[in-house]
Amino acid sequence: MAFENIQQFIERLTQEGELIECNTPVSTELEITEIADRFSKQPANTNKAILFTQTGTKFPVLINSFGSEKRMNIALGTKNLDDVAARIDTLFKTVSHPKKNIWDKLKVLPLLYELQSWMPKVITSSAACQEVVNHTPDLHEIPILKCWPYDGGKFITLPMVITSHPETGIRNVGMYRMQVCDKNTTGMHWHLHKTGANHYKAYKKLGKKMPISVALGGDPAHTFSATAPLPENIDEFMLSGFLRKKKVQLVKSITNDILVPADADFIIEGYVDPSEEKFMEGPFGDHTGFYSLPDVYPYFHVTCITHRKKAVFPTTIVGIPPMEDAWIGKATERIFLAPIKLMLVPEMIDYSMPDAGVAHNLVIAKIQKEFPGQALKVMNTLWGAGQMMFNKTLVVVDQNCEISSPESIVSAICNHTSPQHDVHILHGPLDVLDHAAPQTGYGSKLCIDATEKLPEEMQNPNPAQSYSCIPITETEYSNRVTIAQEYAQKHQNISFIILHDATIEAHDYHTILWHILNNCDPKRDCVIQNNLVIFDGTTKQSDITQRDWPTPVVNSDEIIEVVNKKWNEYNLGEFIPSPSLKYKKLQTKQSAWLYSQTKK
């Protein structure tokens, strides 16, 4: 189903019981974050999208609108997220199947017509996104959030940043956060691997300013498509047209030639000047659950803001999982299963990216194993494929493992993994946000071959037997590997030892997994000795990492108390305690905290 505008999406969410409205005045600095965070970590029956109508501006704020499987299905017009993968699978098979005669070829014609219907269409008539045009733009008139206490400022978090290559004209729609600097300037946070950054380099080489338009709102399929891991030559608006089964209408921006979705709520037009000195952007409470640390990024200069007369400002917050972005990631996982199987890894039955792995830290790949070394073939293929190159920890299992069951995955590792032969550590590119890596965007990766071994692979007849998690206190950090070795000597059946901070409760496996995956660089932090693997997922000090170490993202005591006192005024239902209380003990007075103190 295609939504004509975000208001239709809101109406549908309301009809489905997936949205609640808050008509109490709220602050865009931390208060909306605290309320949304409480809902995003709730089970499906109480996890709702929220529309804040009193934001101190003339625009309401919509948040957590993608924050459940049901809402993702509503946004994409599906009953099941696997439906899209099935459509893609049918499409590829129809196109690639040998055509024996003229009748087989004629059967493809309806498909070609459908393909044409996904292509975006340029309109010259008036567009809803330009009902109001402001040539003296002021970003302070928009309810942009300051998400977390140590953030460097307010951030636009759901922008569709639209650029085109200066020579090829190929369009890109990416989602790059934008820190507000003043009323008409923001940052443009595109990582070095992203297409937006490639376009920037091309403009810099030519010595030209780079026109950019940023869209917010409209059909939610547009927003999802901007997050999708597409190749550079695939238009995100074509993906949106495919998802909504209706072509996207585009209109020319007012002050540049960038085409923007006509149904958007806001369009922020402007440019980046590659000759201009960059600025120190951040910190920002990021999707890893930690603050991403300050770094240099270009300025984006706003020349014009247009919007609907009754515009709604869509936004999101990210932080310690699960949050809204986990469900966007789940949709990406399901939708892109078919292309990965068809074009890269035909033996892959399924894969999973658990939310504790914050997208890039953990992938479980389930394969139909038929020959020795196949798990390593899958490892090399996935680590060389698009955004899968950022994956840090890969576990390959075979067809007998149920990857939706943590117990089944652990059983596969313990029964089929020889620590000496089936635990592989390589170097390669990593997500820029990986703070455990020795250098920004580059470090080591870990692959565990947990498939059942064929005779040719039986180098060690003694696979791993069991695992144990050991909490490490701050006073034990310098001696943590010795502690693990002594423990293994006393427990001969233990083959995997996971070290984690003692501030995490021993049976809180979700938090342990999230924390250790963020805090481990496999080459530095994994010790493989005989039939034992020691996985050090503890917090590191800068003398070990030679890099700043960020603190986890939690809200302030003051704002938690404000929300507690106002809860009944919000009329949002039964009281929900703050998730931040659980994670306060994980905070460290490093990096983002220190940076915030220098700005006081």
Side-chain angles (χ1 to χ4, degrees), residues 195-305:
T195 306
N198 291 338
H199 289 183
Y200 172 81
K201 293 172 189 174
Y203 275 98
K204 185 173 184 177
K205 185 176 180 180
L206 295 173
K208 295 182 178 180
K209 291 182 179 179
M210 178 179 180
I212 300 174
S213 287
V214 178
L216 292 131
D219 191 317
H222 308 336
T223 302
F224 171 77
S225 297
T227 72
L230 294 175
E232 287 195 22
N233 58 343
I234 302 295
D235 190 339
E236 285 79 8
F237 288 134
M238 187 176 77
L239 173 61
S240 184
F242 169 76
L243 293 171
R244 67 203 299 263
K245 300 179 181 179
K246 184 178 180 180
K247 62 180 61 184
V248 180
Q249 290 192 335
L250 302 176
V251 66
K252 180 184 171 299
S253 298
I254 301 294
T255 60
N256 62 42
D257 292 330
I258 300 292
L259 297 173
V260 297
D263 62 355
D265 284 66
F266 292 88
I267 302 294
I268 304 174
E269 303 177 13
Y271 66 90
V272 164
D273 186 350
S275 68
E276 185 178 27
E277 185 176 348
K278 296 179 180 179
F279 86 110
M280 189 64 73
E281 188 257 19
F284 176 71
D286 226 313
H287 79 276
T288 60
F290 291 78
Y291 283 91
S292 57
L293 303 180
D295 202 353
V296 291
Y297 286 93
Y299 286 107
F300 171 64
H301 299 279
V302 181
T303 55
C304 180
I305 297 178

Side-chain angles (χ1 to χ4, degrees), residues 591-600:
S591 298
W593 181 86
L594 291 173
Y595 184 79
S596 71
Q597 303 310 299
T598 64
K599 299 185 72 176
K600 287 185 177 180

Side-chain angles (χ1 to χ4, degrees), residues 422-460:
D422 300 324
V423 178
H424 306 276
I425 297 175
L426 285 75
H427 283 86
L430 294 172
D431 193 290
V432 170
L433 302 180
D434 191 322
H435 62 259
Q439 290 91 30
T440 300
Y442 180 73
S444 59
K445 301 166 177 288
L446 172 72
C447 176
I448 299 175
D449 176 2
T451 61
E452 188 170 353
K453 299 303 178 289
L454 299 173
E456 298 89 340
E457 299 172 302
M458 295 297 290
Q459 298 170 310
N460 185 345

Side-chain angles (χ1 to χ4, degrees), residues 245-386:
K245 300 179 181 179
K246 184 178 180 180
K247 62 180 61 184
V248 180
Q249 290 192 335
L250 302 176
V251 66
K252 180 184 171 299
S253 298
I254 301 294
T255 60
N256 62 42
D257 292 330
I258 300 292
L259 297 173
V260 297
D263 62 355
D265 284 66
F266 292 88
I267 302 294
I268 304 174
E269 303 177 13
Y271 66 90
V272 164
D273 186 350
S275 68
E276 185 178 27
E277 185 176 348
K278 296 179 180 179
F279 86 110
M280 189 64 73
E281 188 257 19
F284 176 71
D286 226 313
H287 79 276
T288 60
F290 291 78
Y291 283 91
S292 57
L293 303 180
D295 202 353
V296 291
Y297 286 93
Y299 286 107
F300 171 64
H301 299 279
V302 181
T303 55
C304 180
I305 297 178
T306 72
H307 62 82
R308 287 176 171 271
K309 289 181 179 178
K310 294 184 179 180
V312 174
F313 182 71
T315 191
T316 190
I317 54 168
V318 290
I320 297 173
M323 302 196 78
E324 182 174 8
D325 63 306
W327 296 102
I328 297 174
K330 176 58 67 174
T332 300
E333 171 199 299
R334 304 325 305 158
I335 289 171
F336 285 87
L337 172 61
I340 291 174
K341 288 174 62 177
L342 290 161
M343 294 186 289
L344 296 170
V345 192
E347 60 266 75
M348 191 156 74
I349 300 169
D350 202 354
Y351 76 115
S352 173
M353 298 187 295
D355 63 72
V358 295
H360 59 268
N361 277 342
L362 178 62
V363 172
I364 314 295
K366 180 176 181 176
I367 67 170
Q368 181 74 41
K369 185 170 178 178
E370 297 177 344
F371 56 84
Q374 195 166 6
L376 299 185
K377 178 257 187 186
V378 170
M379 173 193 79
N380 287 306
T381 302
L382 289 179
W383 282 350

Side-chain angles (χ1 to χ4, degrees), residues 389-455:
M389 70 176 173
F390 300 130
N391 169 245
K392 181 161 72 172
T393 306
L394 175 66
V395 179
V396 185
V397 297
D398 54 32
Q399 58 269 26
N400 298 316
C401 180
E402 178 49 64
I403 62 173
S404 63
S405 166
E407 293 80 10
S408 183
I409 296 168
V410 170
S411 177
I413 293 173
C414 289
N415 289 326
H416 303 315
T417 302
S418 164
Q420 283 186 304
H421 301 287
D422 300 324
V423 178
H424 306 276
I425 297 175
L426 285 75
H427 283 86
L430 294 172
D431 193 290
V432 170
L433 302 180
D434 191 322
H435 62 259
Q439 290 91 30
T440 300
Y442 180 73
S444 59
K445 301 166 177 288
L446 172 72
C447 176
I448 299 175
D449 176 2
T451 61
E452 188 170 353
K453 299 303 178 289
L454 299 173

